[in-house]
Every structure is written in structure tokens, then in C-alpha cells.
Amino acid sequence: MRNLLSLSDLRTQFSTGRGRVKAVDGLDLTVGEGETVGLVGESGSGKSVTALSAMGLVDDPGEIVSGSVELESARLADEFRAEYNNPAFVDGDVVNLVDAPEEALRAVRGRELGMIFQDPMTSLNPSLTVGEQVAESLRLHQYGGRRKDSWFNAVRELLPRISRDIDDEIVERTIEVLESVGIPEPGARVDEFPHEFSGGMRQRVLIAIALACQPRVLVADEPTTALDVTIQAQILDLIDDLQEDLGMSVLMITHDLGVVAETCDRVAVMYAGEIVEEGPVEEIFHNPSHPYTYTLLESLPSEEKERLTPIEGNVPDLIDMPEGCHFAPRCPWAQPECTSGEIPYKQHGGDDVNHRSKCVLDDFDTNEYGGDAIESSTGTEPTDTPLLEVDGMQKYYEQADGILDRFLGADDRSVKAVDGIDFTVYEGETLGLVGESGCGKSTAGRSLLHLTPPTGGRVVFSGTDLSGLDSDELRAMRRDMQMIFQDPMSSLDPRMTVGQTIREPLDVHDLPESDPDVRGEADVTVTGIDADRVSVTASDEIDAIVGSSNGVATATVTVTVADSEVGVAVEERLRAEVEVEREGDVVSGVTVRVTPGDSTSERRRRRVHQLLDAVGLEVGQYDRYPHELSGGQRQRVGIARALAVDPDFIVADEPVSALDVSVQAQILNLLEDLQERFGLTYLFIAHDLSVVRHISDRVAVMYLGEIVEVAATDELFDDPRHPYTQALLSAIPEPDPAAETGDRIILEGDVPSPINPPSGCHFRTRCPQVIPPADLDIEQAAYREVMDLRQRVEREALDVESARDAALDAGDPSAEATVSADGGTADADAVVDELRESHLSHSLSAELRGVVDRALERVVADDWEEAGEILRERFESVCERDAPELGEQTHPAACHLVDE
């Protein structure tokens, strides 16, 4: 296989006040013709910097200090030789992008190398239409629009282009590109701005920009990270189809191992700036030969694992990396020879398999890994006692908030974020709440805690109706109800230290306080002296620091006597008052009294120290600020803050969505340990269904403000009843290249607007099993297409002008005609045919086709209302007439297809 892109001994570094950050440190990687190569690893391993280095986009203070990035392109090589008079950066058909000047790189980007950036909202220009942003690449590379760098041309690029004449050919090509990436009605949407597109549609626009000039190599940097599992499935399917159609190569950069398993031919595993393992995707997943790869795969949640096995520690500081193997400080199988000298690559697999691993070990005993963690988990069983009961809860947001809004004509319709949901959470259980972005999950979590008061319905916590409480009573109740927020970086105050952040709830609620019904006990270990000479007592007030179980607060105390010296250690960060009796130089007795401290300030400080221990943070991090912590450590601070007031119930809103798989495993284990230790109850909100399956006892599925299905976790995954649940589960990427994905359900479109949700079943506008009328003889797929056409007619979203233009090109001048936008005429029947054929790929009976054509005739005549009525009369579904109800069974589903 011919290599199109080759990175050799690449080293990219950044200058900082602390030293040189070696983000990419001697990397070798190739991408072959038509091949998809995955680059995986934890955050901070250098994946994105590798992509930027390949594209020549590393800015100050970064630079490529050595190595090469070579692109094989005979066309570019010939052009550069002619333009630069046999330049040194061209060798035969190979262009070395590291040595190429910036002007030459501008000719490469977009044309030969395309890139999909990670965050579409920050990557797209909000002041330019999506059509203009796609056309920019076309104009630059295919229509002679490339200009030299100058202040004048820079200003021209910034000026609005509304009044400019864009060549018709560029517009047509732009519409073609948008259509190829699945943008509906591209002719109508070409003049819309990024904020008018959903997250999935914005990502499609980024793909359109990257592929506009049909590059030979596509670099995709986390193209699905911010997307729901259903939209992710759409995007991966799209990239796969486009790769097959265009024959391009793909460098897929991601931390999602399921995405890699399903899309890649070959995988390179990156750690601390280096490739530590590389090989065919089947070899990497089924025969990992580097300890880092193996431990990374073991961090993934699966139905077989009772408890996850995270990788201890964090990616090392890239300024001062350890000698030898960078992974050695975290490696369970580290040997003395791992910590010195250069580690060589070793080949694994058969003679015909190129599978290399940068490790001194030929193999390692995987049975030694993770056993202690699995055995330590005993699990907890939920009770039958309701702790939280939600009955018909609604949360509507008004768009016209004041008199001025109404005077200016603001939309007075409400945003129905949560639209009448019912569920119960039982003591000691974890209820998972899942669904796509925009379905109302986070709003539901905030509303039931009354952080944003519900518009309607009841929330009963521990027998108390929260709607009847005043602000002071509600504040007191929040001691028992807390929330872990989604983004720890934005939810933590950057001006407050870790200690101040965790202590703040203690100050607000005047805590810690002791329960007079709890007694203190000491669990004592004695060495170096007879146990009967040691007296240890624990104050009945230590529960203020350590909590209690069954009316008892326990302090773990170790007393050690050695060489006439007495050592006393208290595991729970309590104060130990020690008295020592001596007979000469010999210790004859020890008396220890364990207390929480005398002053409120001391008790709060000790409580914070205890919480830091509980969530796995060092006490030395007490005075650090959020920016000095890793993502996992910041999330632990958020958890410690939630635990500070000793709650009974915690809403965990996407607590692991922004974390690497290894850190995610640490946080999930921590949440399970804390639940067992403190008897907590969780509402766990997430869109990652593999995580939900691991941690939840029951799962509620939410769509557009409503709960559509509830069941015990195993039952829901084994027997999903609602079509939306089935689509969600089928879209989960399997971290196994051998897994069957042929029956995957790809949902089209996005979640509708909660301002005007669909009538009847809210999911009917996307449901692949929407129910046709009983007297209609039509295939399910054909009916789905007709319903999609109906929706576009109702929204007046058919691109009639493009259909007229297409019909005009192939029309009969003698036929009855309609006027197109440029003054030409097109056969009216031809316009109808063009509209029908562009939206319906399945055949219809003569009768049904006639109905569709009559409706499209009214569309061409600009009578949209009549067209919609014609389609409604013949194709109306029970799913749009009647709203299905969620029953009260153990496994209810709000769907007309489900026989309750």
C-alpha cells in the first residue's frame, strides 16, 4: 500500500516559563492510500498537536523542532517545482510540509489535506453564512481565488460578502457539497448562519468545508466528541460513505475506543508524545501488547464488569517526563529496565502482521491486573422505600419576559423543556436518565431540586412537597439534596481554592454538626505494647467529621510503641489527644481521646480534609486553584463539595462526559464506593449509555421533555420496547472490531424544537416505525419518506427554486411552464417530478403517488397550506393524533406499538 502521509521522527515543542513542553516527541506514523488510521490516547498525550503539526498549523509559542511531514502528491510536486524553481522541500513526488513556506501550505490545506476540527461552534465563523464558509475553500483552491498575504486582502476577507456577486458555479458546487454531507434542503439553507443549525448539522458543515475540494487525506480531530450517540452514528456513517465515494485516506483522532473499533483499519496508541503501540485494529483490541493499551481497554465499562479498573495516576508533565518508558510510573508490570535509556520497539503477531509495541516486555500476566478492585466491591441493594417522587413536573421558559419584549413582538410561545414527567427514585438506588441533548435531562435535574423552580407538577422528597416550601425551608432541605454539575471547570469558582470551595457549603449551612443520637466508637490497632495498657475513647461528636452508620460513628486508630516513642495515627483526620505514662524510659500506658476539635473553624477544616480523603485527593491540594488541577481532579472537588453537607440524594449531571476513559473509570468507581459508604441515592444523568448501564439500577429514557420508557437496567438493554430506546441502544459504538453493526438504526434529523413539539407522540417525526393508517398498503420505509416530505411541506422547507432550475435544464419548452428565479420557464409537471424524486426513493402505488403529486402541484403553485392538507388527509398516523401514555407497569413504554 502506498503511503500518502508520512510523519517521521516528528518533534513539536512549546516554550513556556517553566520550560519546553514536548507535546510530540519523536513520532513515526503513516497513512496509506484509502486507509483509515486511528490515533488514540488520553487527553494531554499529544493527539491534537500531532494533527496540527501535520497541517502546519502550530502557532507560537509552539514549533516543529525536527522531523518531517511528507505528503505524496505528483500534482503538487510539479506545481511547486514550477512556482518555486526546484525547491528543497520537494523530492520527486513527495512534498515535505515542515520545510514548505506558508504560502505553499495554503495551497495544500483544503486541497490535498482536509481537517475536521473538534468543536464546530468555535471552528465556524458566526458572522458568515455556512454557504460562504464552504465556498471560501472552493474559491481558494478551484476557482483561482488564492491571493497573497497582505493587509489589504486580510481586510477584504473580514468584510461582509452579502453584496458580492458569487459565481453561480461556486454556488451550485457549494449546494452539492452541503447535500453530499446530508444537509436537508441545502439550496434554502446555504444562506443561514451557524447558530441556526443544530450541533449535528454544524458538524456536517465542518465536514463539508473539509471535503469541498475533495482532499486525498482527511484529518478528523475528535469529530464526534461533543455529539450524542445517535448523531455520532450519523456522522461516522457519513464519513465512511464519503471515504468510499471519494477514495480518500482518513486520520481519525479520538479518545473513544468504540469509534476506533468500528471505523479504523489500523490504530496507533499515543502516550506522552510517543506512539507506544501500533498495528491492525483487530490486533490492538484482541491482542494488546503494550501495558498502556491493555489498561486503557480495561477501563471501558461493559456488562461483564461489576467494577471498573482505572489506570492509576495521570499523564506525566510533558516538561519533565520520566526517563525510559513514560508510562512506567503508572504501569502495573514496570521493571527496573523500564526507567532508563531509550525503549525499543518490538514486533508482535505473525510474520505478515506489522504490530509494534514500545515496551521491554514480550508479554505480561493480565491475571495480575484488577483482581483487588473487583473483590473490593460488595455492592448495595436499593430498597422499596420511595425517596423522591416526581408527579407531572413541567418546566417552561417564557421567551417574552417583559413588557418591552411583548411590545417589540417577541415570540410569546413557551419553551417546553420538561413537559409533564413522572418517576420515582427509591432509597439506595441509582436511576439513570438518558436521552439526546435538548431532550430536557439537565433541566429536569435542576427543576426537581428547585434550582430552577418547576412551572407545574409536584416534587415530593422524603415525604415533603417541595413546592410548598419557602426559600429558607428550601435551603434547609437542600442539605439532603445536592448536585454534581456537568462541567467542573465552569461550575467551580476560579478565584476560590479547593479548600474554600468544599468548605463553602459548611459555612452556608452552619456545619458540621453532631447528631446527639449517635455515639462514637474507636476501632483500635496496637503494636509494641500490651493492648490492655492502651485506652482509646472517641467523642460522641466525631460523627460531625466522619459521618455515622446505624447510629455509630467510628474512628480508626493505630497506636504504635517503638524505642520508648509513641505514635498515634487516626485515619479519619480527627484530633488525637495523647497522654503517655512511663516507668523510667519504658512506656507503661497510653491514653488517647479522639475528638473532632474544639472550634468550628478547626472542625470545618478537618471535615474538608476528610472529604478530600474520601474522594481520593491529597490534603496538599487544599490551597490549589481549579486551573492547577486535572479534569478528573476538578470533578472530584465537585463531588466533595456535594458530599460536604452529608446529603441523602445527589443529582449527577453528566459527571463523566468530559473525562478520558481512564479518569471516567476512577470517577464511576468513586461514586459507587461513596454510595455504599454513605448510603447515597443517585439520579445519574448521561448520554453515554455504556456508562449508564454500568452504574444504574434502573433507567428512564427521555425525549423532548417526556419520559418514554422506564425499566430495570438489564431488562431495558435486553428488551427495549420504545423505538427511540431501540435506536439509542443500537447506536452505541462497540469497542470490538468483530462486533456486528449491520442492524444499526440510524436516526435521521435532530430533536425537534421544544417551542412547538410535534403533536401526539413527539418522536413520530423521526421514528422509523411510525404507524401508517390501517387502510394504507405501503412499506414502512416508504411511509417514513412520505412523512418526512409532509414535515417539509408543513414547514414550507422544500427548495422549489432548485427543483425549477433542475427541471428547466431538462424540460420541454412546449409544456405548461412555471417561472424560475432567473426568469426562465420550467415544465410544471417536471418540477413536481423533480421534487418527488429528490425526496422519495421508494416506489408508491399509483393511488398514493397521485396524492403526493397533487400536493406537490400545490407546493409549486405556492399553496403550502392546501398541499399539507392533501397529504394529511391520506397519510395521517395515529402517532400524530393521539399522544401515547406511559403506564404504571414495571417496564412501561409510551408507544402505540407496545401492547400494555
Side-chain angles (χ1 to χ4, degrees):
M1 182 187 300
R2 185 173 50 151
N3 291 328
L4 294 186
L5 184 67
S6 302
L7 287 64
S8 302
D9 196 29
L10 184 66
R11 299 177 189 273
T12 304
Q13 300 180 2
F14 293 81
S15 297
T16 70
R18 296 173 51 228
R20 302 280 290 182
V21 176
K22 299 177 181 178
V24 180
D25 195 24
L27 180 140
D28 296 301
L29 184 65
T30 61
V31 181
E33 189 172 20
E35 183 182 36
T36 299
V37 177
L39 186 60
V40 302
E42 295 170 278
S43 297
S45 61
K47 305 187 302 296
S48 292
V49 176
T50 299
L52 295 174
S53 300
M55 298 291 294
L57 294 174
V58 178
D59 291 329
D60 289 336
E63 61 174 335
I64 299 175
V65 298
S66 66
S68 64
V69 177
E70 296 181 342
L71 178 67
E72 192 277 333
S73 174
R75 179 178 61 175
L76 272 182
D78 290 341
E79 289 181 8
F80 288 155
R81 268 191 290 266
E83 185 175 352
Y84 293 96
N85 192 19
N86 294 322
F89 63 87
V90 177
D91 182 11
D93 292 341
V94 176
V95 180
N96 187 349
L97 303 182
V98 171
D99 297 332
E102 176 59 29
E103 189 172 349
L105 289 176
R106 291 183 66 192
V108 174
R109 300 186 198 114
R111 181 181 174 190
E112 296 285 333
L113 277 178
M115 185 166 181
I116 305 172
F117 292 92
Q118 186 166 347
D119 185 355
M121 199 56 189
T122 57
S123 301
L124 294 172
N125 188 331
S127 64
L128 294 179
T129 65
V130 296
E132 183 56 48
Q133 295 185 62
V134 175
E136 182 179 23
S137 180
L138 294 168
R139 186 182 295 108
L140 180 66
H141 295 294
Q142 293 187 351
Y143 294 90
R146 186 152 60 99
R147 307 183 182 95
K148 290 186 178 293
D149 290 328
S150 67
W151 281 105
F152 176 73
N153 286 333
V155 172
R156 289 182 66 184
E157 290 296 319
L158 292 173
L159 291 176
R161 301 194 177 193
I162 296 174
S163 61
R164 298 188 191 179
D165 292 329
I166 302 176
D167 188 272
D168 289 343
E169 191 175 349
I170 298 179
V171 174
E172 290 177 8
R173 175 64 183 143
T174 298
I175 292 173
E176 288 176 8
V177 173
L178 290 174
E179 184 176 23
S180 71
V181 298
I183 301 294
E185 308 300 330
R189 306 202 70 179
V190 71
D191 293 323
E192 294 183 3
F193 290 87
H195 72 272
E196 298 177 273
F197 283 67
S198 67
M201 289 296 111
R202 285 194 291 265
Q203 192 67 300
R204 289 173 184 267
V205 171
L206 275 186
I207 295 173
I209 294 171
L211 300 182
C213 298
Q214 299 186 358
R216 299 172 70 210
V217 180
L218 175 67
V219 179
D221 185 13
E222 301 277 10
T224 62
T225 295
L227 304 179
D228 293 307
V229 64
T230 52
I231 308 300
Q232 173 179 273
Q234 292 178 19
I235 297 301
L236 293 177
D237 196 48
L238 171 64
I239 293 175
D240 188 55
D241 290 343
L242 291 172
Q243 181 183 17
E244 185 176 342
D245 293 342
L246 302 177
M248 66 183 176
S249 305
V250 177
L251 176 60
M252 178 74 71
I253 298 172
T254 182
H255 67 266
D256 190 327
L257 295 170
V259 168
V260 169
E262 293 191 5
T263 62
C264 296
D265 304 305
R266 191 158 49 87
V267 182
V269 182
M270 194 168 185
Y271 184 79
E274 298 180 332
I275 299 293
V276 297
E277 185 169 4
E278 181 186 359
V281 64
E282 295 85 0
E283 280 282 305
I284 296 296
F285 279 83
H286 298 154
N287 182 32
S289 300
H290 194 283
Y292 177 61
T293 308
Y294 177 79
T295 53
L296 201 62
L297 291 170
E298 282 297 297
S299 300
L300 294 171
S302 71
E303 57 182 302
E304 294 85 11
K305 296 176 183 175
E306 290 290 330
R307 185 172 175 84
L308 302 179
T309 309
I311 308 173
E312 299 300 328
N314 299 296
V315 176
D317 190 333
L318 299 183
I319 293 175
D320 185 22
M321 288 187 286
E323 288 290 324
C325 175
H326 298 336
F327 186 61
R330 303 172 70 190
C331 181
W333 299 277
Q335 304 296 318
E337 57 266 35
C338 297
T339 56
S340 62
E342 181 66 20
I343 305 298
Y345 283 100
K346 289 188 176 184
Q347 284 294 328
H348 299 268
D351 294 337
D352 58 341
V353 176
N354 184 15
H355 179 187
R356 63 183 182 130
S357 171
K358 194 170 187 178
C359 181
V360 300
L361 301 174
D362 291 320
D363 54 38
F364 44 90
D365 186 0
T366 58
N367 293 323
E368 298 175 1
Y369 186 67
D372 294 341
I374 294 174
E375 292 171 3
S376 66
S377 177
T378 59
T380 56
E381 291 294 329
T383 69
D384 295 329
T385 305
L387 180 66
L388 180 81
E389 297 172 275
V390 178
D391 181 17
M393 187 177 73
Q394 298 173 323
K395 179 59 185 178
Y396 295 172
Y397 292 96
E398 300 297 330
Q399 298 187 86
D401 288 335
I403 296 176
L404 182 60
D405 286 334
R406 298 186 185 94
F407 177 76
L408 294 175
D411 195 338
D412 60 356
R413 293 177 298 173
S414 299
V415 178
K416 299 176 180 178
V418 179
D419 196 15
I421 61 174
D422 307 284
F423 63 89
T424 301
V425 186
Y426 297 93
E427 287 185 3
E429 85 163 337
T430 299
L431 176 67
L433 186 61
V434 303
E436 295 169 284
S437 297
C439 71
K441 305 186 302 294
S442 294
T443 302
R446 291 171 177 268
S447 297
L448 64 87
L449 295 181
H450 281 60
L451 296 176
T452 55
T455 307
R458 295 170 65 245
V459 179
V460 177
F461 178 78
S462 196
T464 301
D465 188 346
L466 301 186
S467 60
L469 303 181
D470 60 28
S471 58
D472 291 337
E473 292 171 330
L474 194 57
R475 172 177 290 187
M477 182 64 73
R478 288 208 184 102
R479 282 186 51 182
D480 297 322
M481 306 182 301
Q482 286 290 301
M483 188 165 190
I484 301 170
F485 293 93
Q486 181 170 353
D487 182 0
M489 193 60 189
S490 61
S491 61
L492 298 178
D493 190 331
R495 299 165 298 179
M496 295 176 67
T497 66
V498 168
Q500 291 169 334
T501 297
I502 299 174
R503 177 172 170 156
E504 186 178 35
L506 301 177
D507 296 335
V508 169
H509 292 284
D510 196 22
L511 297 173
E513 64 180 11
S514 175
D515 185 343
D517 295 328
V518 173
R519 73 176 189 277
E521 291 185 354
D523 182 5
V524 184
T525 301
V526 178
T527 59
I529 188 175
D530 291 340
D532 58 3
R533 293 179 175 272
V534 177
S535 172
V536 180
T537 59
S539 165
D540 288 339
E541 295 184 344
I542 63 171
D543 66 297
I545 308 299
V546 303
S548 63
S549 177
N550 298 322
V552 177
T554 304
T556 306
V557 182
T558 301
V559 179
T560 305
V561 178
D563 298 329
S564 299
E565 296 294 329
V566 177
V568 177
V570 184
E571 185 178 310
E572 289 78 14
R573 302 284 177 181
L574 297 164
R575 178 201 282 184
E577 300 169 354
V578 183
E579 295 181 6
V580 180
E581 299 176 12
R582 300 179 185 272
E583 295 179 358
D585 293 334
V586 178
V587 176
S588 59
V590 180
T591 302
V592 181
R593 177 168 171 76
V594 180
T595 71
D598 295 331
S599 67
T600 300
S601 177
E602 180 184 1
R603 292 189 176 195
R604 287 177 181 168
R605 177 173 54 81
R606 291 185 180 278
R607 174 63 172 160
V608 173
H609 287 176
Q610 173 68 13
L611 289 165
L612 289 172
D613 286 340
V615 298
L617 292 173
E618 298 292 333
V619 173
Q621 294 170 316
Y622 185 98
D623 292 319
R624 291 190 182 181
Y625 289 89
H627 72 273
E628 298 178 285
L629 305 176
S630 69
Q633 289 170 334
R634 285 193 291 266
Q635 193 62 284
R636 289 172 186 266
V637 173
I639 294 172
R641 179 183 169 95
L643 291 174
V645 294
D646 195 19
D648 296 322
F649 175 67
I650 292 179
V651 175
D653 184 13
E654 300 273 11
V656 297
S657 63
L659 305 179
D660 288 312
V661 62
S662 57
V663 182
Q664 172 183 282
Q666 295 175 12
I667 298 301
L668 291 175
N669 283 350
L670 173 63
L671 291 173
E672 290 177 320
D673 291 342
L674 294 172
Q675 183 176 43
E676 182 177 351
R677 179 176 174 182
F678 298 113
L680 297 172
T681 302
Y682 293 136
L683 177 65
F684 192 92
I685 299 171
H687 66 265
D688 188 330
L689 294 166
S690 59
V691 169
V692 169
R693 181 170 197 171
H694 174 78
I695 198 170
S696 301
D697 300 299
R698 290 188 302 132
V699 179
V701 182
M702 196 168 181
Y703 184 80
L704 200 58
E706 298 180 337
I707 290 178
V708 298
E709 187 168 2
V710 183
T713 302
D714 289 340
E715 184 175 352
L716 184 94
F717 278 78
D718 292 339
D719 180 28
R721 297 181 180 178
H722 197 283
Y724 178 59
T725 309
Q726 294 168 7
L728 280 180
L729 297 184
S730 79
I732 302 173
E734 287 286 342
D736 182 358
E740 279 292 333
T741 59
D743 59 348
R744 173 159 292 165
I745 302 170
I746 303 294
L747 285 183
E748 299 297 333
D750 301 288
V751 178
S753 170
I755 296 175
N756 184 27
S759 62
C761 173
H762 289 353
F763 185 58
R764 67 172 174 84
T765 58
R766 301 169 72 197
C767 181
Q769 301 179 51
V770 61
I771 303 173
D775 64 339
L776 206 63
D777 183 15
I778 188 172
E779 293 182 3
Q780 183 67 60
Y783 185 62
R784 176 68 270 169
E785 284 188 337
V786 172
M787 294 298 279
D788 290 340
L789 177 64
R790 277 189 60 198
Q791 292 160 34
R792 291 191 176 98
V793 170
E794 290 167 1
R795 297 196 310 268
E796 300 185 14
L798 291 180
D799 190 358
V800 180
E801 290 304 321
S802 294
R804 279 199 180 103
D805 292 340
L808 182 63
D809 293 338
D812 179 0
S814 65
E816 180 182 353
T818 64
V819 181
S820 67
D822 61 1
T825 60
D827 179 3
D829 290 339
V831 178
V832 169
D833 290 342
E834 182 66 31
L835 286 171
R836 178 183 1 89
E837 291 172 7
S838 63
H839 290 89
L840 303 180
S841 61
H842 292 81
S843 61
L844 298 175
S845 67
E847 183 248 330
L848 297 181
R849 176 171 170 165
V851 174
V852 170
D853 285 355
R854 281 196 297 114
L856 293 177
E857 287 170 4
R858 302 317 305 154
V859 167
V860 172
D862 202 28
D863 189 351
W864 295 87
E865 185 175 349
E866 176 64 20
E869 185 62 23
I870 291 171
L871 292 173
R872 186 195 65 79
E873 286 181 359
R874 188 66 187 96
F875 294 102
E876 186 178 40
S877 169
V878 64
C879 300
E880 57 188 297
R881 288 195 308 270
D882 303 324
E885 295 184 0
L886 189 71
E888 299 181 358
Q889 298 79 10
T890 56
H891 185 174
C895 179
H896 294 297
L897 291 170
V898 178
D899 183 9
E900 297 290 2

